[in-house]
Amino acid sequence: MLPFTTDDLTSLLGAHEPPCISLYLPTHRTHPEREGDPIRYRNQLKELKASLEQKYPKRATQERLEPFEKLAYDYDFWNHRSLGLGILSTAEKFEVFDLQRPVKELVVVADSFHIKPLMRQLQSADHYQILSVGMQGGRLFEGNRDGLDPVEVSDVISAPLAREPRQSHKDKSEADLLNYLRTIDAAVLEEHSKPSGLPLLVVALPEMLHAFRTASRNPFVVGEGMALSPESIDLEELRLQAWQKFEPVYLERLAGLIDRFNAARAKGMGADIIDDVAAAAAAGRIETLLVEADREIPGKLDSATGAITPTELCDPEVDDLLDDLAESVLRAGGAVIVVPAERMPSESGLAAILRY
């Protein structure tokens, strides 16, 4: 099973031969809740088949359904799920992603992928990383308020502090410890913090945490960190305690984005009417787009002109307009932040800060 990465998002934004199939399902980690996941998935396949058959012949429809149907009765697959499932498929690819938060049940067959649930995982304001560090090396986790998962790291990060034979860590000099932590800190910065742009919480025993704060040059590190033993806490407890630490950072970041939008709108440099946002996106004028997390507006977007044609979401050539607008902004080098409905500064589901 693959975690969803920024590289995956970039790939999905490229041109693909339609139909592009996007399927999302909330899933469960534990029994008995997970027993219903494959049943709901099979119901989604009926919806997918009906949508495909609106435009494509029966044989072509069956070919596209085959990889989906193989998963329907794969019980090992359904016994190892996280909080959400995303499946994206064309004739050339079939990719399955574990998601760290529940998603709305959704099947979209269109001329591009529906990627807003994936953008939310990568680009929500509540997304962060955790570095746990000790004498046995560093471990990295990535998540949000709903879920937390391990991230594969290089040997530079995971390597333990080297020791001389018959010499305990207490005999190591302070300089050796700081050099060890600087090496981990530099690798995390280059390999994870810079590429993701995510804030980083550090977890370590008090003495190690103090030393890391002295050694670190990573500008993505936030707060005072968490002074506890990384080995003595399970993943769920780590998530709960980390969110308590990170929630003020999240609220501050989100408030800053909303303040920027309100200030831009007051100067005529902000837009929240969908036709205005679409025109600005087509012209490459959007610097930052706030998108309401669970809102869907059916319609077809002409990305070259910004023209919108209202229609039904079940149309095989139609996606969610908010999703298409977000894709257009990302392709033009803008930023997209997915925001909970209760925090959106507009009623339209969109709030754009313009470049010019």
Side-chain angles (χ1 to χ4, degrees):
M1 182 57 56
L2 300 172
F4 188 70
T5 67
T6 303
D7 288 342
D8 292 319
L9 179 61
T10 301
S11 173
L12 294 174
L13 290 172
H16 301 280
E17 184 70 25
C20 297
I21 300 172
S22 309
L23 183 150
Y24 295 96
L25 179 72
T27 51
H28 302 83
R29 297 181 187 271
T30 58
H31 178 84
E33 291 83 3
R34 69 186 178 203
E35 300 304 309
D37 293 345
I39 297 171
R40 290 182 292 110
Y41 175 75
R42 290 194 289 271
N43 289 334
Q44 283 186 298
L45 295 194
K46 295 176 184 177
E47 181 183 345
L48 173 56
K49 181 179 180 181
S51 187
L52 284 168
E53 287 179 342
Q54 289 185 45
K55 184 173 181 181
Y56 299 96
K58 184 175 181 179
R59 180 174 179 179
T61 295
Q62 188 55 44
E63 289 177 353
R64 297 304 308 276
L65 286 174
E66 282 180 4
F68 288 91
E69 291 174 340
K70 287 180 181 179
L71 291 181
Y73 295 95
D74 185 339
Y75 295 105
D76 183 64
F77 174 83
W78 294 107
N79 284 336
H80 296 86
R81 298 278 47 82
S82 60
L83 298 178
L85 175 68
I87 303 178
L88 290 94
S89 173
T90 64
E92 293 77 32
K93 68 166 63 182
F94 184 82
E95 295 186 332
V96 183
F97 298 102
D98 261 332
L99 305 179
Q100 295 168 325
R101 66 191 336 143
V103 291
K104 180 180 177 181
E105 283 189 38
L106 183 66
V107 174
V108 177
V109 180
D111 55 6
S112 63
F113 288 119
H114 181 85
I115 61 171
K116 191 165 63 174
L118 301 175
M119 285 191 291
R120 189 178 186 188
Q121 171 146 326
L122 284 179
Q123 297 181 264
S124 287
D126 68 346
H127 202 195
Y128 62 95
Q129 292 180 331
I130 295 175
L131 174 66
S132 74
V133 63
M135 295 295 184
Q136 298 305 311
R139 293 188 298 162
L140 194 68
F141 303 89
E142 189 171 308
N144 50 50
R145 71 179 80 191
D146 299 309
L148 191 66
D149 291 303
V151 174
E152 186 175 346
V153 297
S154 66
D155 292 342
V156 175
I157 297 171
S158 63
L161 175 62
R163 301 173 183 166
E164 297 297 328
R166 296 185 299 279
Q167 194 174 33
S168 73
H169 68 271
K170 292 181 180 179
D171 297 316
K172 298 295 292 182
S173 70
E174 182 178 350
D176 287 340
L177 177 61
L178 291 176
N179 285 335
Y180 164 71
L181 294 175
R182 287 189 188 104
T183 300
I184 292 176
D185 178 66
V188 170
L189 176 60
E190 292 301 320
E191 297 169 17
H192 299 281
S193 294
K194 284 183 178 179
S196 71
L198 294 175
L200 181 71
L201 289 168
V202 180
V203 179
L205 288 169
E207 183 178 348
M208 181 68 74
L209 184 60
H210 175 75
F212 186 88
R213 287 169 56 81
T214 300
S216 177
R217 297 294 181 269
N218 188 334
F220 294 90
V221 172
V222 296
E224 300 296 315
M226 296 191 292
L228 51 84
S229 171
E231 288 77 23
S232 65
I233 188 170
D234 65 28
L235 197 61
E236 179 61 14
E237 184 61 27
L238 180 61
R239 180 189 68 81
L240 290 171
Q241 292 200 31
W243 179 245
Q244 290 179 0
K245 291 283 189 180
F246 184 69
E247 186 174 19
V249 178
Y250 156 70
L251 292 175
E252 181 180 358
R253 181 188 180 201
L254 197 52
L257 288 167
I258 292 169
D259 288 346
R260 283 189 60 215
F261 167 72
N262 287 329
R265 181 167 54 181
K267 297 176 182 178
M269 294 296 291
D272 60 359
I273 298 172
I274 192 165
D275 289 327
D276 294 343
V277 174
R285 294 183 59 205
I286 297 179
E287 174 199 299
T288 302
L289 180 67
L290 308 184
V291 180
E292 187 174 319
D294 296 316
R295 176 81 70 91
E296 291 174 6
I297 302 177
K300 191 167 185 179
L301 174 71
D302 185 328
S303 59
T305 66
I308 293 172
T309 305
T311 185
E312 297 296 325
L313 195 59
C314 60
D315 186 322
E317 294 185 345
V318 172
D319 196 357
D320 167 28
L321 276 174
L322 302 188
D323 189 84
D324 286 345
L325 284 168
E327 290 183 35
S328 181
V329 170
L330 289 172
R331 289 192 187 100
V336 176
I337 306 296
V338 183
V339 178
E342 65 273 15
R343 301 281 179 181
M344 278 296 295
S346 72
E347 297 295 325
S348 65
L350 292 165
I353 301 170
L354 306 183
R355 291 190 174 107
Y356 56 88

